[in-house]
Amino acid sequence: MNAKTMIAVLTTGDGRTELGRIAVPRPGPKQVLIKVVVAAQNPTDWKTTMNFKQWGNVVGCDFAGIVVELGQEVDEEFIQPGHRVASFVHGAVDLNGSFAEYLVSPAHLLIKIPDHLSFENAAQVPIASLTACQCLFKSLSLPVPLEKTDQHTDSTTIGDILIWGGNTSVGRIAIQLAKMSGVKRIVSTSSPENFEALKKLGVTQVFDYRDHKAGQKINSYTGGKLRIAMDCIGEGTTPFQVSEALSAGGGTISVLNPYLSRKNGVETIHSLGYTLLGQAFEFPCVYEPRSGELEFGTKMTRMVSGLLVEKRLRLSPVRIIPRGLAGVVEGFDIMKRGKANHEKIVYRIADTPPVTSGPDLYF
Ligand SMILES: NC(=O)c1ccc[n+]([C@@H]2O[C@H](COP(=O)([O-])OP(=O)(O)OC[C@H]3O[C@@H](n4cnc5c(N)ncnc54)[C@H](OP(=O)(O)O)[C@@H]3O)[C@@H](O)[C@H]2O)c1
């Protein structure tokens, strides 16, 4: 490993980003140094940049790349230099992010990329799939696909689930996982032009989320018996709409953005992908590692790797932003304006032009 410095997208501390050069990170125990090939964008990238106002942090979470070096205590049976891997880090809160030439990643969350899958397609998988796993298999206790267990022998007993916001990155993968898990009927919401695409992923019935009666209509469609839901939006009117869809006796909503329901008998359970990294953090909330979280992350990572090998996950089309990391301002703008539709925004690191200005940090 010869490079000592690298190009990275850095926070400016006032909600913006700029390209700069910083030192290449070193892998600590149980960590792996990765050369990032493609980084994928998620809403959290611009939201954290906007709301965690620190200068000089590296932006970006999702990545696909090549293992360069192993830290101490990494299982060499499982991972070796040269392997193609994908995962995510907690971007924009410190000096480690995926919008950079290199990053360090905890070894336990590395998804191995099968030969048939491109870096561009693989980069979109980690946050969306592992967060969907938290919601479905932890918060809602659905049976884990590919896992043989006595716990849920009769899969048909899992009747209906509502996945609100089926056309989100997390929603599209959650729909497929819920179907593999054995759920009988998956109800969802999207814009009308995406109804057919969601049905192809496994949704039974889709409703337009802009219809203010969508919650009531889902309640009728499910015969007033809906008990479990996953809310992939959790903002604006959705907390009310999702609660309205549930049975009169209430139920459980797994949420990506935290809220409390005003409806009697409705429990909301918030999942946060970052907890799977097994590290403490202070943004977007204060978190200390909990027992079992790292093991759950490892188990879900292996399961997702298996689904990719078997080509069982349908991925979204990608939108490659020109000029690599120099295009992040444009990519943020597209996402903030809601113009990404079902395309996943990705950056090829090698497309980034040489950096001639911007901060030169730490050396
Ligand atoms: N807690 C966590 O760890 C975690 C992890 C990942 C994401 N998140 C959060 O979860 C949310 C979704 O993230 P994402 O990356 O999956 O989303 P995304 O891919 O950016 O989702 C975009 C899609 O959302 C749909 N949408 C917008 N408003 C909607 C509404 N009111 N009801 C239903 N669908 C709506 C639109 O579908 P149409 O095109 O059909 O209109 C749009 O195409 C974000 O707030 C993100 O910050 C949290």
Side-chain angles (χ1 to χ4, degrees):
M1 173 61 209
N2 297 324
K4 298 257 182 304
T5 68
M6 64 177 190
I7 296 174
V9 175
L10 302 168
T11 55
T12 53
D14 59 1
R16 293 175 300 115
T17 63
E18 63 185 330
L19 274 180
R21 289 199 78 87
I22 62 168
V24 172
R26 306 295 311 147
K30 299 183 181 171
Q31 289 184 332
V32 169
L33 178 68
I34 311 277
K35 182 175 173 54
V36 184
V37 179
V38 175
Q41 182 175 294
N42 291 283
T44 188
D45 298 324
W46 69 262
K47 288 182 186 177
T48 309
T49 300
M50 288 273 293
N51 296 318
F52 189 65
K53 293 206 164 77
Q54 271 190 358
W55 175 77
N57 291 337
V58 182
V59 183
C61 299
D62 268 337
F63 67 87
I66 298 166
V67 175
V68 176
E69 190 182 325
L70 307 185
Q72 290 169 2
E73 300 168 49
V74 174
D75 181 0
E76 290 180 37
E77 296 278 312
F78 175 67
I79 209 82
Q80 284 158 23
H83 279 173
R84 300 165 80 240
V85 293
S87 190
F88 69 92
V89 292
H90 196 158
V93 297
D94 57 24
L95 287 172
N96 194 41
S98 67
F99 294 180
E101 290 178 287
Y102 295 89
L103 56 74
V104 289
S105 170
H108 74 279
L109 275 191
L110 291 175
I111 297 168
K112 282 192 190 164
I113 306 175
D115 291 344
H116 64 80
L117 198 61
S118 67
F119 286 113
E120 286 77 3
N121 277 323
Q124 67 174 281
V125 174
I127 285 193
S129 64
L130 294 174
T131 311
C133 286
Q134 283 181 305
C135 293
L136 297 176
F137 308 127
K138 197 152 201 221
S139 303
L140 299 177
S141 303
L142 296 189
V144 177
L146 306 182
E147 188 178 64
K148 291 187 177 40
T149 168
D150 297 334
Q151 210 184 339
H152 303 271
T153 42
D154 182 7
S155 60
T156 57
T157 55
I158 311 157
D160 294 337
I161 187 173
L162 165 63
I163 298 182
W164 187 283
N167 197 40
T168 58
S169 303
V170 180
R172 285 192 300 271
I173 293 204
I175 288 164
Q176 299 175 73
L177 293 174
K179 192 170 162 64
M180 288 178 220
S181 174
V183 177
K184 217 162 134 193
R185 290 198 305 181
I186 302 168
V187 185
S188 191
T189 57
S190 74
S191 295
E193 63 266 28
N194 297 315
F195 283 6
E196 283 314 307
L198 294 196
K199 285 184 179 169
K200 280 186 190 149
L201 292 181
V203 167
T204 321
Q205 186 63 273
V206 201
F207 296 84
D208 182 354
Y209 60 80
R210 292 185 184 87
D211 176 354
H212 71 280
K213 291 194 171 152
Q216 285 173 33
K217 287 181 180 173
I218 293 167
N219 182 287
S220 302
Y221 177 77
T222 51
K225 292 182 179 158
L226 184 69
R227 297 286 305 174
I228 54 171
M230 176 175 164
D231 185 351
C232 300
I233 302 295
E235 290 169 347
T237 55
T238 69
F240 174 75
Q241 289 170 296
V242 176
S243 297
E244 207 176 26
L246 289 176
S247 75
T252 306
I253 311 174
S254 169
V255 298
L256 293 179
N257 287 306
Y259 63 82
L260 294 175
S261 171
R262 292 186 181 185
K263 182 167 170 172
N264 279 342
V266 175
E267 179 194 18
T268 56
I269 304 175
H270 179 221
S271 293
L272 194 53
Y274 301 133
T275 61
L276 299 176
L277 293 166
Q279 301 156 354
F281 54 80
E282 294 182 355
F283 186 88
C285 57
V286 176
Y287 172 81
E288 287 296 328
R290 285 188 219 119
S291 73
E293 201 74 353
L294 198 138
E295 292 74 15
F296 178 79
T298 306
K299 187 171 140 186
M300 292 301 110
T301 301
R302 306 273 164 108
M303 189 266 290
V304 170
S305 296
L307 293 176
L308 291 177
V309 168
E310 293 178 15
K311 301 187 184 175
R312 288 180 66 188
L313 278 183
R314 286 170 85 137
L315 302 178
S316 303
V318 296
R319 177 160 172 184
I320 300 166
I321 302 292
R323 301 173 60 241
L325 296 177
V328 167
V329 174
E330 181 190 344
F332 276 15
D333 185 55
I334 294 168
M335 199 174 241
K336 282 185 204 168
R337 289 188 294 115
K339 297 292 177 201
N341 191 6
H342 60 297
E343 291 178 327
K344 195 75 185 173
I345 290 175
V346 300
Y347 306 97
R348 285 180 178 144
I349 309 304
D351 292 348
T352 311
V355 173
T356 50
S357 61
D360 224 6
L361 305 181
Y362 312 108
F363 55 91

